[in-house]
Coordinates of all heavy atoms in Angstrom, one line a residue:
H13 N 105.8 74.6 93.5 CA 105.4 75.0 92.1 C 105.0 73.8 91.3 O 103.9 73.9 90.6 CB 106.6 75.7 91.5 CG 106.9 77.0 91.9 ND1 106.3 78.2 91.2 CD2 107.5 77.6 92.9 CE1 106.6 79.3 91.9 NE2 107.4 78.9 92.9
L14 N 105.5 72.8 91.5 CA 105.1 71.6 90.6 C 103.8 70.9 91.0 O 102.9 70.7 90.1 CB 106.2 70.4 90.8 CG 106.0 69.2 89.8 CD1 106.0 69.7 88.3 CD2 107.2 68.3 89.9
V15 N 103.4 71.0 92.3 CA 102.2 70.5 92.8 C 101.1 71.5 92.4 O 100.1 71.1 91.9 CB 102.2 70.4 94.4 CG1 100.8 70.2 94.9 CG2 103.1 69.2 94.8
R16 N 101.3 72.8 92.5 CA 100.4 73.8 92.2 C 100.2 73.8 90.6 O 99.0 73.9 90.2 CB 100.8 75.2 92.6 CG 100.7 75.3 94.1 CD 100.8 76.7 94.7 NE 100.8 76.7 96.1 CZ 101.2 77.7 96.9 NH1 101.6 78.8 96.3 NH2 101.1 77.7 98.1
Y17 N 101.2 73.5 89.9 CA 101.0 73.4 88.5 C 100.1 72.3 88.0 O 99.3 72.4 87.2 CB 102.4 73.3 87.8 CG 102.4 73.1 86.3 CD1 101.7 74.1 85.5 CD2 102.9 72.0 85.7 CE1 101.8 73.9 84.0 CE2 102.9 71.8 84.3 CZ 102.3 72.8 83.5 OH 102.2 72.7 82.1
A18 N 100.3 71.0 88.6 CA 99.6 69.9 88.5 C 98.1 70.2 88.7 O 97.1 69.7 88.0 CB 100.1 68.7 89.1
A19 N 97.9 70.7 90.0 CA 96.6 71.1 90.4 C 95.9 72.0 89.4 O 94.7 72.0 89.0 CB 96.5 71.7 91.8
W20 N 96.7 73.0 89.0 CA 96.1 74.0 88.0 C 95.6 73.4 86.7 O 94.7 73.8 86.0 CB 97.1 75.2 87.6 CG 96.7 76.1 86.6 CD1 95.9 77.3 86.7 CD2 97.3 76.1 85.3 NE1 95.8 77.9 85.5 CE2 96.7 77.3 84.6 CE3 98.1 75.3 84.6 CZ2 96.9 77.5 83.3 CZ3 98.3 75.6 83.3 CH2 97.7 76.8 82.7
L21 N 96.5 72.5 86.1 CA 96.1 71.7 84.9 C 94.9 71.1 85.1 O 94.0 71.0 84.3 CB 97.3 70.7 84.6 CG 98.5 71.3 84.0 CD1 99.6 70.2 83.8 CD2 98.3 72.0 82.7
R22 N 94.8 70.3 86.3 CA 93.5 69.5 86.7 C 92.2 70.5 86.7 O 91.2 70.2 86.0 CB 93.7 68.8 87.9 CG 92.4 68.2 88.4 CD 92.0 67.0 87.7 NE 90.8 66.3 88.1 CZ 89.6 66.6 88.1 NH1 89.2 67.8 87.5 NH2 88.6 65.8 88.6
D23 N 92.4 71.6 87.2 CA 91.3 72.6 87.4 C 90.9 73.3 86.0 O 89.8 73.6 85.8 CB 91.7 73.7 88.4 CG 91.8 73.3 89.8 OD1 91.1 72.2 90.1 OD2 92.5 73.8 90.6
S24 N 91.9 73.3 85.2 CA 91.7 73.9 83.8 C 91.3 72.9 82.8 O 91.0 73.4 81.7 CB 93.2 74.5 83.3 OG 93.6 75.5 84.3
G25 N 91.1 71.7 83.3 CA 90.5 70.7 82.2 C 91.6 70.2 81.2 O 91.2 69.8 80.2
R26 N 92.8 70.5 81.5 CA 93.9 70.1 80.6 C 94.5 68.8 80.9 O 94.4 68.3 82.1 CB 95.0 71.2 80.7 CG 94.5 72.7 80.4 CD 95.6 73.6 80.5 NE 95.1 75.0 80.4 CZ 95.7 76.0 79.7 NH1 96.8 75.8 79.1 NH2 95.2 77.1 79.7
P27 N 95.3 68.1 80.0 CA 95.9 66.9 80.3 C 96.8 67.0 81.6 O 97.6 68.0 81.5 CB 96.7 66.6 79.0 CG 95.9 67.3 77.9 CD 95.5 68.5 78.5
H28 N 96.8 66.2 82.5 CA 97.5 66.3 83.7 C 98.1 65.1 84.3 O 98.6 65.2 85.4 CB 96.6 67.1 84.7 CG 95.4 66.3 85.0 ND1 94.3 66.4 84.2 CD2 95.0 65.5 86.1 CE1 93.3 65.7 84.8 NE2 93.8 65.1 85.9
H29 N 97.9 63.9 83.6 CA 98.2 62.6 84.2 C 99.7 62.5 84.4 O 100.3 62.1 85.4 CB 97.7 61.5 83.4 CG 96.1 61.4 83.5 ND1 95.5 60.7 84.6 CD2 95.2 62.0 82.7 CE1 94.3 61.0 84.4 NE2 94.0 61.6 83.3
K30 N 100.5 62.9 83.4 CA 102.0 63.0 83.5 C 102.4 63.8 84.6 O 103.3 63.5 85.5 CB 102.6 63.4 82.2 CG 104.1 63.4 82.2 CD 104.8 63.9 81.1 CE 104.4 65.4 80.8 NZ 105.0 66.0 79.5
E31 N 102.0 65.1 84.7 CA 102.3 66.1 85.7 C 101.9 65.6 87.1 O 102.6 66.0 88.1 CB 101.6 67.5 85.3 CG 102.3 68.1 84.1 CD 101.8 67.5 82.8 OE1 100.8 66.7 82.8 OE2 102.4 67.9 81.8
A32 N 100.8 64.9 87.2 CA 100.3 64.4 88.6 C 101.4 63.5 89.1 O 101.6 63.6 90.1 CB 98.9 63.8 88.4
A33 N 101.8 62.6 88.1 CA 102.8 61.5 88.5 C 104.1 62.2 88.9 O 104.8 61.9 89.9 CB 103.1 60.6 87.5
M34 N 104.5 63.3 88.1 CA 105.8 64.1 88.3 C 105.7 64.8 89.7 O 106.6 64.7 90.4 CB 105.9 65.1 87.2 CG 106.5 64.5 85.9 SD 106.7 65.8 84.7 CE 107.6 64.9 83.4
C35 N 104.6 65.4 90.0 CA 104.4 66.2 91.3 C 104.4 65.3 92.5 O 105.0 65.6 93.5 CB 103.3 67.1 91.2 SG 101.7 66.5 91.8
K36 N 103.8 64.2 92.3 CA 103.8 63.1 93.4 C 105.2 62.6 93.7 O 105.7 62.6 94.8 CB 102.7 62.1 93.3 CG 102.4 61.3 94.5 CD 103.3 60.1 94.8 CE 102.8 59.3 95.9 NZ 103.6 58.3 96.3
L37 N 105.8 62.3 92.5 CA 107.2 61.8 92.7 C 108.1 62.7 93.3 O 108.9 62.5 94.3 CB 107.7 61.4 91.2 CG 109.2 61.1 91.2 CD1 109.4 59.8 92.0 CD2 109.6 60.7 89.7
F38 N 108.2 63.9 92.8 CA 109.2 64.9 93.1 C 108.9 65.5 94.6 O 109.8 65.7 95.4 CB 109.2 66.1 92.2 CG 110.3 67.1 92.4 CD1 111.6 66.8 92.1 CD2 110.0 68.3 93.1 CE1 112.6 67.7 92.4 CE2 111.0 69.2 93.4 CZ 112.3 68.9 93.0
A39 N 107.6 65.8 94.8 CA 107.2 66.3 96.1 C 107.5 65.4 97.3 O 107.9 65.8 98.3 CB 105.8 66.9 96.1
T40 N 107.0 64.1 97.1 CA 107.2 63.2 98.2 C 108.7 62.9 98.5 O 109.1 62.8 99.5 CB 106.5 61.9 98.0 OG1 106.9 61.3 96.7 CG2 105.0 62.2 97.9
E41 N 109.5 62.6 97.4 CA 110.9 62.4 97.6 C 111.7 63.6 98.2 O 112.5 63.4 99.0 CB 111.5 61.9 96.2 CG 111.0 60.5 95.7 CD 111.6 59.4 96.5 OE1 112.6 59.6 97.4 OE2 111.3 58.3 96.3
T42 N 111.3 64.8 97.7 CA 111.9 66.0 98.2 C 111.5 66.2 99.7 O 112.4 66.5 100.5 CB 111.4 67.2 97.4 OG1 111.9 67.0 96.1 CG2 112.1 68.5 98.0
A43 N 110.3 66.0 100.1 CA 109.9 66.1 101.4 C 110.5 65.1 102.4 O 111.0 65.5 103.5 CB 108.3 65.9 101.5
A44 N 110.8 63.8 101.8 CA 111.5 62.8 102.6 C 112.8 63.4 102.8 O 113.5 63.2 103.9 CB 111.4 61.5 101.9
G45 N 113.6 63.9 101.9 CA 114.9 64.5 102.0 C 115.0 65.6 102.9 O 115.9 65.7 103.8
I46 N 113.9 66.5 102.9 CA 113.9 67.6 103.8 C 113.8 67.3 105.2 O 114.4 67.7 106.2 CB 112.8 68.6 103.4 CG1 113.1 69.3 102.0 CG2 112.5 69.7 104.5 CD1 112.0 70.1 101.5
C47 N 112.8 66.2 105.6 CA 112.7 65.8 106.9 C 114.0 65.1 107.4 O 114.3 65.2 108.5 CB 111.5 64.7 106.9 SG 109.9 65.6 106.6
D48 N 114.7 64.4 106.5 CA 115.9 63.7 107.0 C 116.9 64.9 107.2 O 117.7 64.7 108.2 CB 116.4 62.9 105.8 CG 117.7 62.2 106.2 OD1 117.8 61.4 107.2 OD2 118.8 62.6 105.4
Q49 N 117.0 65.9 106.4 CA 118.0 67.0 106.6 C 117.7 67.7 107.9 O 118.6 68.2 108.7 CB 118.1 67.8 105.4 CG 118.8 67.2 104.2 CD 120.2 66.8 104.5 OE1 121.0 67.5 105.1 NE2 120.6 65.6 104.1
A50 N 116.5 67.8 108.2 CA 116.0 68.6 109.4 C 116.5 67.9 110.6 O 117.0 68.4 111.6 CB 114.4 68.7 109.5
A51 N 116.2 66.5 110.5 CA 116.8 65.7 111.8 C 118.2 65.9 111.8 O 118.8 65.9 112.9 CB 116.4 64.3 111.5
R52 N 119.1 66.0 110.8 CA 120.5 66.1 110.9 C 120.9 67.5 111.5 O 121.9 67.6 112.2 CB 121.0 65.9 109.5 CG 121.0 64.5 108.9 CD 121.4 64.5 107.5 NE 121.1 63.2 106.9 CZ 122.1 62.2 106.7 NH1 123.3 62.5 107.0 NH2 121.7 61.0 106.1
V53 N 120.1 68.5 111.2 CA 120.3 69.8 111.7 C 120.2 69.7 113.2 O 121.0 70.2 113.9 CB 119.3 70.9 111.1 CG1 119.5 72.2 111.9 CG2 119.7 71.2 109.6
L54 N 119.2 69.0 113.7 CA 118.9 69.0 115.1 C 119.9 67.9 115.8 O 120.1 67.9 117.0 CB 117.5 68.5 115.4 CG 116.5 69.7 115.6 CD1 116.3 70.5 114.2 CD2 115.2 69.2 116.3
A55 N 120.6 67.1 114.9 CA 121.5 66.1 115.5 C 120.9 65.2 116.4 O 119.9 64.7 116.2 CB 122.8 66.8 116.0
S56 N 121.5 65.2 117.7 CA 120.8 64.2 118.7 C 119.4 64.5 119.0 O 118.6 63.6 119.2 CB 121.7 64.3 120.0 OG 123.0 64.0 119.8
Y57 N 119.0 65.7 119.0 CA 117.6 66.1 119.3 C 116.7 65.8 118.1 O 115.5 65.7 118.3 CB 117.5 67.6 119.6 CG 118.1 68.0 121.0 CD1 119.3 68.6 121.1 CD2 117.6 67.4 122.1 CE1 119.8 69.0 122.3 CE2 118.1 67.7 123.4 CZ 119.3 68.5 123.5 OH 119.9 68.7 124.7
G58 N 117.2 65.6 116.9 CA 116.5 65.1 115.8 C 116.0 63.6 116.1 O 115.1 63.1 115.3

């Protein structure tokens, strides 16, 4: 939702620099956590 919101702001010609930074920060850190947790679910096979 945060990435799509930032993209929508950009497409709408609205201020979006703060939201772009927020979406990059949150999405990448969250994705890193998800990949780590996925490896934990698989345990040795991760």
Side-chain angles (χ1 to χ4, degrees):
H13 282 264
L14 193 50
V15 171
R16 289 189 182 165
Y17 177 58
W20 175 78
L21 288 174
R22 172 69 174 79
D23 292 337
S24 302
R26 303 176 187 224
H28 59 281
H29 292 278
K30 176 184 70 177
E31 290 78 10
M34 286 178 168
C35 88
K36 199 272 185 184
L37 170 65
F38 187 78
T40 57
E41 290 287 355
T42 298
I46 288 171
C47 292
D48 178 65
Q49 289 301 314
R52 292 169 187 259
V53 170
L54 270 70
S56 298
Y57 289 111

